[in-house]
Amino acid sequence: MSKPKVYVTRRLPGEAMDLLYQRTQVTVWGEDAVPPPKEVIKREVADAEGLISLVTDPIDAEVMDAAPKLRVISNYAVGYDNIDIPAATARGIVVTHTPGVLTETVADFTFALILAAARRVVEADRFTREGKWKSWEPMLFLGQDVYGATLGLVGLGRIGSAVARRAKGFNMRVLYYDVVRREDLERELGLEFTDLPTLLRESDFVSIHTPLTPETRHLIGAKELNLMKPTAILINTARGPIVDTIALAHALRERRIWAAGIDVFETEPVPPDHPLLQLDNVVVAPHIASASIATRTKMALLAVENLLSVLEGRVPPHPVNPEAMGKR
Ligand code: DGY
């Protein structure tokens, strides 16, 4: 039996590629730092049964229509806002994702941004390297305390609750807002459920952990930022468009909020002249919250297992639209 044709939009870490070479006829986009243009994806999927895509690849109806044999789109990410799910379901294409394996790694990085923004770690590093340190000073790089502060979680899914568990170790009061109330976690971790305005008014740190949907696009804009304390810090490791980043840059410049830690942007890669990048009170990163060696390797293996399951007639571990299964 001939092996199914598969297109992968970037080289994946670990043994995942070996598995693909053994079990499929795989073609891989050759560059690591640049995603394939849409025209290339359309050409490569023309006779493919499987596609492994990344958050950088918009997979819409146009791409799917160029792929009459496509049975599975395996996204190498937990988020799948880059894929038109209704269009995939209508065409009987199963979409899968990689939840679970990256939860703790993303929660770790959320805390890295909380601590870095609160204690001005990046500014202090730059200052020290640049030879500007003249003496120990009582007022040098004064920051905000994390221990004992109030953390507001916008979204209490897997990653939000992993951040809440870490916050308990810092003796934080933890508020959360979500469309689903989790009384089990409220009891287990001592969390408090609030509406969004209350969370924004009372939190010292606001951390976003909700998927990007039409409802969450610009969930945090000028009005919401105005509700936050002048000493508050906003953290976003979820998706850039959940925050209106121009409004955020204004709020930070005018010191209406104190700082931000941002791993995701409305446009990625963020252009170097973006207003947020001109500010010292922002710690930024290039969408790397899940980037540990172990986690990116597990994500790759899971993405491949999702893909092979559909191609080999098994139920994939993490389908997004199970109703599409068996339709093609
Ligand atoms: C995801 O998994 O959705 C991340 O944003 C990429 O790791």
Side-chain angles (χ1 to χ4, degrees):
M1 213 172 73
S2 70
K3 295 177 185 176
K5 286 198 174 160
V6 166
Y7 184 57
V8 184
T9 64
R10 220 69 66 80
R11 206 164 49 91
L12 303 176
E15 296 145 26
M17 292 308 304
D18 299 338
L19 273 172
L20 285 175
Y21 283 115
Q22 283 158 21
R23 311 251 285 266
T24 68
Q25 293 179 63
V26 62
T27 307
V28 188
W29 171 247
E31 295 189 44
D32 286 338
V34 188
K38 191 175 192 180
E39 288 313 308
V40 172
I41 301 182
K42 280 169 63 183
R43 196 179 63 228
E44 293 291 354
V45 293
D47 60 350
E49 289 179 63
L51 168 66
I52 297 188
S53 53
L54 272 59
V55 292
T56 49
D57 310 313
I59 309 295
D60 57 13
E62 193 188 326
V63 173
M64 296 176 205
D65 285 340
K69 298 183 189 162
L70 197 63
R71 291 199 278 143
V72 55
I73 301 168
S74 168
N75 215 34
Y76 178 67
V78 62
Y80 44 82
D81 47 279
N82 57 309
I83 301 174
D84 184 337
I85 303 297
T89 307
R91 288 160 181 75
I93 303 171
V94 181
V95 178
T96 62
H97 67 145
T98 63
V101 290
L102 48 70
T103 302
E104 302 301 340
T105 303
V106 175
D108 281 353
F109 196 74
T110 302
F111 252 85
L113 289 181
I114 288 175
L115 289 162
R119 297 301 306 277
R120 306 175 62 181
V121 173
V122 177
E123 271 181 279
D125 175 285
R126 214 178 291 133
F127 174 91
T128 312
R129 286 171 198 272
E130 287 171 0
K132 293 182 177 163
W133 184 24
K134 302 289 177 241
S135 154
W136 189 93
E137 290 176 51
M139 313 284 261
L140 190 59
F141 286 113
L142 300 185
Q144 304 290 345
D145 278 323
V146 176
Y147 189 86
T150 298
L151 171 66
L153 298 169
V154 180
L156 190 72
R158 296 179 200 86
I159 297 172
S161 36
V163 173
R165 286 179 207 284
R166 282 159 180 73
K168 287 289 135 185
F170 281 78
N171 196 30
M172 296 175 99
R173 175 185 174 214
V174 182
L175 313 178
Y176 79 98
Y177 161 73
D178 202 320
V179 285
V180 181
R181 187 160 176 186
R182 291 291 306 269
E183 291 182 51
D184 54 335
L185 289 175
E186 287 172 35
R187 277 190 299 276
E188 185 193 332
L189 298 170
L191 314 181
E192 298 168 46
F193 178 71
T194 66
D195 54 33
L196 184 59
T198 307
L199 179 144
L200 294 168
R201 267 189 224 103
E202 295 192 10
S203 298
D204 300 305
F205 297 87
V206 173
S207 190
I208 299 172
H209 301 287
T210 181
L212 174 63
T213 64
E215 293 72 39
T216 63
R217 188 171 289 272
H218 282 196
L219 181 68
I220 305 296
K223 185 164 85 66
E224 290 72 28
L225 292 161
N226 271 332
L227 294 176
M228 291 171 66
K229 299 179 185 180
T231 49
I233 295 174
L234 181 76
I235 305 294
N236 190 5
T237 53
R239 283 293 183 267
I242 298 169
V243 177
D244 176 345
T245 43
I246 298 298
L248 174 62
H250 271 292
L252 287 161
R253 195 177 312 108
E254 292 166 14
R255 295 277 171 179
R256 275 187 280 118
I257 71 168
W258 204 74
I262 303 292
D263 183 47
V264 285
F265 294 85
E266 288 191 79
T267 306
E268 294 182 2
V270 64
D273 61 350
H274 190 286
L276 270 185
L277 302 193
Q278 317 313 315
L279 302 169
D280 280 338
N281 52 345
V282 189
V283 177
V284 291
H287 201 150
I288 57 164
S290 67
S292 75
I293 297 165
T295 289
R296 287 285 170 88
T297 303
K298 287 184 203 155
M299 285 169 66
L301 286 170
L302 187 50
V304 169
E305 176 52 21
N306 276 326
L307 177 108
L308 292 176
S309 298
V310 178
L311 295 180
E312 295 172 0
R314 298 188 303 278
V315 176
H318 295 290
V320 172
N321 58 347
E323 63 278 21
M325 268 184 302
K327 278 203 189 167
R328 233 185 207 196

